[in-house]
Amino acid sequence: MVQISSLWGVLPLALSVSAATLQNRQAAAAQVVKLASTENLAVRSNGQILATNMNSANLYAVDPVAKTSSTAVVVTGASGLSGIGEYLPDIFAVIGGKGIYKVDFTGAKPTATLVKTITEGSNLNGLAVLNNDTVLVADAGKGNVYRFSMTTGTYSEALKDATMAPSGSIPFGIDGIKYRDGVVWYTNIFKNSFHKIPVDATGKATGSVVTLWSNLMGDDLCFGPNGKIYVATNSKNSVVEVDPVTAAAGMSPKAVASVTGSTSCGFGRGEKDKDVMYVGAGAGVYSVTVK
């Protein structure tokens, strides 16, 4: 979700609860580029970072070596972009309003094509890749998750739970979402909570939700090359680390990076930056080494 600091004036005081007890080993992050209100990001195999902005139809390309940014492609028909995920090599699913777009970098120049609009969607935000055709789309306004075929545009509700429900005066619920090895991990930003739920190959729940914490804001998240999960904490100005092997209710995550208004993250894919976490934030894209 967009950086929260600008929204505190309209949010109830109940949302500014104390953070979970953090095992602090934060590293200072370095700014890669200045890019206002970075919402979400994905790292391409060529090292480029793709960054979205909820107030722009431009999908930005960031060169972390040259420390420059440019517009990779304009997603025509969208007023702003949020979740992004690579479901085939160099082909990405991108949320633009209520539309799910295919952004293809395999040709001579990138193209953006509307696959289908989720007409009953309320506030589509987070996106997770389930397989090389299906993505999971989190609806923060309705508190559910859709399974969506990038080939056919067919979609249906896959998950719905009270832990995903919206709250607050905006309202906004489930935010970041990722899938790996039969488990969906997700945050509820205004309930200051982080959860996991086992699912089958279609994204349907096969067990109960486990709430890992309910007193630390979480925005989007990513997996590191070490198999651990990293959660951006938005107004808590950090990124925290979660070991999925030992993750349990009431856990205390480790703070590994300090980034003002952190919204999202992704790791480098080259030999030189495989331990570098790129973090989207209110003032741009940052980098920090995590081992």
Side-chain angles (χ1 to χ4, degrees):
M1 184 183 180
V2 69
Q3 188 179 3
I4 298 298
S5 59
S6 61
L7 302 176
W8 284 126
V10 297
L11 297 180
L13 293 176
L15 296 180
S16 56
V17 299
S18 60
T21 302
L22 299 180
Q23 300 176 30
N24 198 330
R25 56 181 179 86
Q26 297 186 56
Q31 189 173 50
V32 179
V33 294
K34 186 176 181 180
L35 200 60
S37 301
T38 299
E39 166 63 14
N40 214 316
L41 57 79
V43 182
R44 294 180 62 195
S45 58
N46 68 358
Q48 265 189 352
I49 304 162
L50 301 177
T52 67
N53 182 314
M54 291 180 74
N55 300 310
S56 174
N58 295 341
L59 180 61
Y60 297 100
V62 175
D63 184 332
V65 177
K67 296 188 176 182
T68 59
S69 65
S70 60
T71 298
V73 64
V74 178
V75 182
T76 303
S79 59
L81 309 177
S82 52
I84 181 172
E86 184 179 23
Y87 67 96
L88 285 172
D90 234 10
I91 302 177
F92 296 80
V94 179
I95 299 173
K98 294 184 179 183
I100 308 300
Y101 293 81
K102 172 185 176 181
V103 178
D104 190 342
F105 286 89
T106 62
K109 63 179 182 178
T111 59
T113 308
L114 175 65
V115 179
K116 196 167 185 178
T117 299
I118 299 179
T119 54
E120 65 269 40
S122 173
N123 195 336
L124 307 183
N125 189 268
L127 184 145
V129 175
L130 186 65
N131 54 48
N132 61 9
D133 172 71
T134 306
V135 296
L136 300 176
V137 180
D139 191 331
K142 295 185 73 172
N144 67 348
V145 177
Y146 299 99
R147 67 173 66 84
F148 185 98
S149 169
M150 294 300 295
T151 302
T152 66
T154 302
Y155 65 89
S156 60
E157 185 177 88
L159 297 167
K160 187 177 180 68
D161 187 79
T163 58
M164 302 175 182
S167 61
S169 57
I170 291 183
F172 213 91
I174 182 173
D175 192 321
I177 182 171
K178 288 294 180 284
Y179 166 83
R180 181 171 287 188
D181 298 332
V183 180
V184 168
W185 305 79
Y186 62 95
T187 63
N188 187 315
I189 192 163
F190 288 154
K191 289 186 177 179
N192 297 286
S193 57
F194 184 47
H195 314 268
K196 66 176 182 177
I197 183 170
V199 298
D200 63 18
T202 71
K204 182 181 178 180
T206 58
S208 301
V209 171
V210 175
T211 297
L212 302 172
W213 67 69
S214 57
N215 57 354
L216 175 65
M217 182 172 281
D219 200 324
D220 214 325
L221 55 144
C222 63
F223 281 92
N226 56 9
K228 294 181 180 179
I229 303 167
Y230 296 86
V231 183
T233 65
N234 205 300
S235 67
K236 295 304 178 183
N237 305 321
S238 64
V239 179
V240 299
E241 179 185 88
V242 176
D243 187 338
V245 176
T246 59
M251 64 168 294
S252 297
K254 296 178 181 179
V256 296
S258 176
V259 183
T260 300
S262 58
T263 59
S264 52
C265 58
F267 276 78
R269 297 173 63 178
E271 187 60 32
K272 292 183 178 180
D273 68 349
K274 64 182 180 181
D275 294 322
V276 176
M277 177 170 60
Y278 298 106
V279 182
V285 177
Y286 295 76
S287 67
V288 63
T289 299
V290 178
K291 293 185 177 180

